[in-house]
Amino acid sequence: MSTEDDITYDRSMLGVEHHIGSFPISREMILEFAVSTAETHPLYSDEEQAKASEYGGLIAPPTFCNIFVDGLRRPDIKLEFGDVGLFASQAIENVSPIRPGDTLEARTRLQDVYSKTGRSGKMVFVVWETSFTNQQGETVVLVRDSFIRRNRPE
Amino acid sequence: MNDELYYEDIEIGDEIDTVERSVSLEQVRAFLAIRGGLSGPSRFTDDAFARSEGLPGAIVPGAMNSAMMAQLLTGWSPTVTLKKMEVVFRRVVPHNSPLEIKGVVTSKDVVDDEPQINCDVFLESEEGAVHVIGHATVVLPMHAPAD
């Protein structure tokens, strides 16, 4: 554990890659994602129309991998600050399409931990980079997520 | 959705057709269920729990907001491929709140032979309060060169 800029966390986690799961992708998951987000694009929601596309079938929507990158699967960095966490920002890069039948391997690494002080007081930002590869070893999606940790308002 | 758009059809300052959405508790539950659901009350499904965390009530997961921002772009035209998107969550999004998702073209360029369009994107309330802001890069095909 170390303290830097008044932030105490397990600094040995910085930059270290962690395998956070294997995720088999089914057509049902893609269709349920489409229904819950009111997605109507045929590539992501209509198997028959998707068959006639250049992809030859259903593919996952661009932010589909978000369902796998919740904080519960990330390693504990033992951050000693705040009692409320919020999603601050996200960057997604789509490299290759995700199809039903794929199995994705997710690997994440802690990229940065830093603090800022705003109107509501001190906030600590925790930034993770996660890559998803398919069963051929191809990178399909890269995600960078930033979370805010702050103290609960009194 | 528009007809098939090509790189040459797009000009800086072009606005993307606004998408209107409102997210219900049922949609949030269905979204969370894809990854196995929740074992107890959460800020996404329970007003009292959300208030205990200082939030105004149950909120829409950021991942669903990202999905709606992406739909603005992929729904623009069947020829659009969303390459990159970066969003910042400025305000939480409550359930059943009328939302407007908007975008505007800020630049265009051919990068490594890939025709790219850059856009600013916004998720706003009906009153114009910005909840999510970001930018994105989409790829569009080019018209085939004339013989």
Side-chain angles (χ1 to χ4, degrees), chain A residues 4-5 7 12 19 24 29 34 37 41 52 62 66 69 72 83 85-86 89 93 96 100 102 104 112 117 128 140:
Chain A
E4 187 176 13
D5 296 327
I7 312 170
S12 72
H19 182 259
M29 293 167 81
T37 58
H41 195 299
N66 269 335
V69 289
L72 297 174
D83 50 11
L86 285 172
S89 67
E93 181 173 358
S96 301
D102 283 352
L104 305 185
D112 200 5
T117 302
W128 294 92
V140 291

Side-chain angles (χ1 to χ4, degrees), chain A residues 6-86:
Chain A
D6 295 331
I7 312 170
T8 301
Y9 68 103
D10 183 355
R11 192 174 164 76
S12 72
M13 302 280 281
L14 271 173
V16 178
E17 187 174 272
H18 300 267
H19 182 259
I20 55 170
S22 299
F23 305 105
I25 309 302
S26 67
R27 58 179 284 283
E28 289 77 14
M29 293 167 81
I30 294 173
L31 293 172
E32 286 166 11
F33 187 98
V35 169
S36 65
T37 58
E39 175 65 75
T40 57
H41 195 299
L43 268 181
Y44 319 126
S45 62
D46 185 320
E47 288 184 287
E48 287 308 309
Q49 286 195 58
K51 275 182 193 166
S53 74
E54 62 179 303
Y55 298 100
L58 208 59
I59 60 171
T63 66
F64 180 79
C65 282
N66 269 335
I67 61 177
F68 306 123
V69 289
D70 62 84
L72 297 174
R73 292 191 171 96
R74 291 197 176 89
D76 180 9
I77 67 166
K78 299 181 172 57
L79 176 63
E80 294 181 6
F81 179 79
D83 50 11
V84 176
L86 285 172

Side-chain angles (χ1 to χ4, degrees), chain B:
Chain B
M1 190 178 289
N2 279 290
D3 294 335
E4 294 188 347
L5 289 175
Y6 288 82
Y7 178 79
E8 296 90 338
D9 302 331
I10 305 300
E11 294 183 6
I12 295 169
D14 282 356
E15 293 185 354
I16 302 169
D17 295 339
T18 299
V19 169
E20 295 182 353
R21 287 279 191 278
S22 174
V23 181
S24 67
L25 173 61
E26 291 70 30
Q27 280 178 283
V28 172
R29 283 192 172 134
F31 183 84
L32 297 173
I34 304 170
R35 61 185 185 192
L38 296 166
S39 55
S42 82
R43 66 179 65 163
F44 304 123
T45 55
D46 187 292
D47 281 331
F49 189 92
R51 288 191 193 105
S52 76
E53 292 193 317
L55 299 168
I59 62 171
V60 177
M64 291 188 80
N65 297 329
S66 289
M68 292 188 288
M69 304 284 272
Q71 285 172 16
L72 171 79
L73 299 158
T74 56
W76 189 13
S77 162
T79 48
V80 164
T81 300
L82 177 53
K83 183 180 178 71
K84 285 190 252 182
M85 184 175 75
E86 183 161 5
V87 294
V88 177
F89 303 102
R90 285 188 168 180
R91 287 187 175 89
V92 295
V93 176
H95 293 181
N96 304 312
S97 172
L99 304 168
E100 294 183 350
I101 306 157
K102 303 174 178 178
V104 62
V105 174
T106 56
S107 65
K108 56 185 285 190
D109 199 5
V110 177
V111 180
D112 296 332
D113 295 326
E114 190 175 62
Q116 298 182 355
I117 305 289
N118 296 304
C119 313
D120 283 346
V121 290
F122 313 87
L123 187 153
E124 300 178 353
S125 69
E126 267 188 331
E127 296 76 27
V130 177
H131 290 260
V132 188
I133 191 167
H135 57 89
T137 301
V138 302
V139 177
L140 282 175
M142 295 181 94
H143 288 295
D147 290 332

